[in-house]
Amino acid sequence: LAEAKILLIGGGAVGSSVAEMLVREGCNNLSIIDGDKFEIGNLCRHTLSLRSIGKPKADLLASNLNSISPHATVQSIRGYFNDQADLEQLPLAECEIIIDCTGDDGVAHKLSVFPWSGEKLFFSASLGLRAQRLFLFVAQGKCFPHDEFVNALMPWIQMELKENDGLKLPREGVGCWNPVFPARSSDIWMMSAIVVKCIETWAVNPPASPCLKVYEREQKDLIFRAVRLAEES
């Protein structure tokens, strides 16, 4: 991973945590693409601070990460990932490891049609409501297998919808508008650490076919017990 060219799509709570762990553990060549500005609602679960409000996430993340390691070269792309290798996105086609942390099915589809050069190792990391579950999909190939991704993830999405049927989220406030509210920063970072561990493993031994891992937090009487592997398929 130290020499791999890595592309991280989405610099939100999960993306920023994964990026920082990767850089602190020796990843030196990282590109971050995100078109959003940092908002006050991001503060409770993001690695950026109050000083960053109103500024582009990608630029600030790159600056912070470059200050962590003298060996790191973190580049920012201020925009949204699309399915065209235009002038700005053309270098992305050369990246070897692609990590999607947006939780956006539209981005997953764009990954499947983007003109990548050669085989890539693709990851999609997303969280369920309250960060109760981590959905981590991996595949190796010349394009992202969108159909396999949707087929693997859909049963879990339907189960989460059923489990939370009728649930009323709290009023809007700092962070409350986020769809994974009320996930705590500790939940985000714990699940993000699992993402990094799995990336390290799969970078050495890529799966022969697309794989979905689902990790689930366990607790009893509001007391945290463990994170277990609920499914590997």
Side-chain angles (χ1 to χ4, degrees):
L1 285 180
E3 302 303 324
K5 293 182 179 179
I6 302 173
L7 169 63
L8 182 87
I9 305 173
V14 174
S16 64
S17 302
V18 168
E20 182 161 331
M21 291 178 196
L22 286 172
V23 170
R24 289 188 181 278
E25 295 188 8
C27 296
N28 297 326
N29 194 330
L30 178 65
S31 296
I32 300 175
I33 182 167
D34 194 303
D36 290 341
K37 291 184 178 180
F38 191 71
E39 299 180 14
I40 194 168
N42 301 137
L43 278 171
C44 58
R45 290 180 290 269
H46 206 280
T47 60
L48 294 176
S49 67
L50 277 169
R51 299 175 183 175
S52 305
I53 292 175
K55 301 176 183 178
K57 284 183 184 177
D59 293 350
L60 292 169
L61 280 172
S63 178
N64 282 358
L65 294 172
N66 282 321
S67 71
I68 288 174
S69 169
H71 307 293
T73 301
V74 182
Q75 300 175 335
S76 64
I77 298 176
R78 194 188 305 176
Y80 300 104
F81 182 77
N82 58 60
D83 55 7
Q84 302 294 321
D86 54 30
L87 185 61
E88 189 172 33
Q89 290 198 155
L90 187 60
L92 304 185
E94 302 297 328
C95 291
E96 300 155 301
I97 297 176
I98 318 299
I99 308 170
D100 174 24
C101 292
T102 63
D104 184 343
D105 186 56
V107 172
H109 180 264
K110 291 172 185 175
L111 284 172
S112 70
V113 297
F114 186 83
W116 303 103
S117 59
E119 291 225 339
K120 310 296 178 186
L121 191 58
F122 294 98
F123 294 93
S124 172
S126 57
L127 299 175
L129 193 68
R130 300 190 184 90
Q132 179 68 26
R133 295 185 182 96
L134 164 67
F135 306 108
L136 183 57
F137 183 84
V138 60
Q140 186 176 42
K142 294 183 178 180
C143 64
F144 183 77
H146 180 259
D147 290 344
E148 289 91 334
F149 168 73
V150 171
N151 291 337
L153 201 60
M154 189 56 66
W156 287 96
I157 293 176
Q158 292 173 343
M159 180 168 56
E160 288 226 340
L161 289 172
K162 185 176 180 180
E163 288 175 347
N164 296 284
D165 184 36
L167 175 67
K168 293 183 179 180
L169 294 176
R171 63 173 179 81
E172 288 192 351
V174 177
C176 298
W177 53 267
N178 193 296
V180 298
F181 181 81
R184 299 181 179 183
S185 58
S186 55
D187 300 326
I188 300 293
W189 294 342
M190 179 168 56
M191 293 303 197
S192 297
I194 294 173
V195 173
V196 173
K197 293 291 186 186
C198 289
I199 290 173
E200 291 172 348
T201 299
W202 278 322
V204 176
N205 296 303
S209 58
C211 174
L212 173 69
K213 281 191 175 185
V214 180
Y215 289 90
E216 190 172 61
R217 284 192 292 117
E218 288 187 344
Q219 62 184 44
K220 184 177 181 181
D221 300 327
L222 300 180
I223 298 175
F224 171 76
R225 288 181 173 268
V227 175
R228 71 180 184 92
L229 180 60
E231 178 183 298
E232 183 173 14
S233 60

